């Protein structure tokens, strides 16, 4: 009886590992490695941060130009 429980537990572990493997690494959404998503998000976040900084710099430059034009008149 004890050996049957050991085989049953081993079978359950094998099924769980198989399900996790196919869930994580063989997704239908084109992800080959779910841990790469974090790196992609960080990369995209960096790009967005750069663009936001460029926009803020452009706004500040525009304000300086407008202030300089107002001072001249």
């Amino acid at each position: 009886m004890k050996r049957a429980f050991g085989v049953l537990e081993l079978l359950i572990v094998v099924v769980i590992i198989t399900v996790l493997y196919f869930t994580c690494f063989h997704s239908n959404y084109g992800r080959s490695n779910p841990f790469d998503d974090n790196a992609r998000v960080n990369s995209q976040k960096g790009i967005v941060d750069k663009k936001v900084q460029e926009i803020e710099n452009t706004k500040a430059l525009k304000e300086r130009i407008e202030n300089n034009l107002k001072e001249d008149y």
Side-chain angles (χ1 to χ4, degrees):
M1 187 75 167
K2 199 170 199 177
R3 181 181 170 137
F5 282 120
V7 171
L8 181 63
E9 290 171 351
L10 183 63
L11 182 63
I12 291 171
V13 169
V14 168
V15 168
I16 290 173
I17 289 173
T18 305
V19 168
L20 286 175
Y21 176 77
F22 282 103
T23 301
C24 291
F25 298 106
H26 291 284
S27 175
N28 293 332
Y29 303 107
R31 290 181 356 187
S32 61
N33 187 351
F35 304 107
D36 285 341
D37 290 347
N38 192 27
R40 265 188 249 143
V41 167
N42 288 338
S43 173
Q44 291 172 349
K45 183 178 181 279
I47 292 170
V48 169
D49 288 343
K50 284 181 184 178
K51 292 295 181 185
V52 167
Q53 188 62 40
E54 287 177 10
I55 291 170
E56 289 175 354
N57 291 342
T58 303
K59 284 182 181 179
L61 183 61
K62 179 184 171 190
E63 288 178 10
R64 273 194 261 145
I65 291 171
E66 287 175 353
N67 289 338
N68 287 339
L69 288 174
K70 287 179 184 177
E71 289 176 3
D72 287 342
Y73 290 111

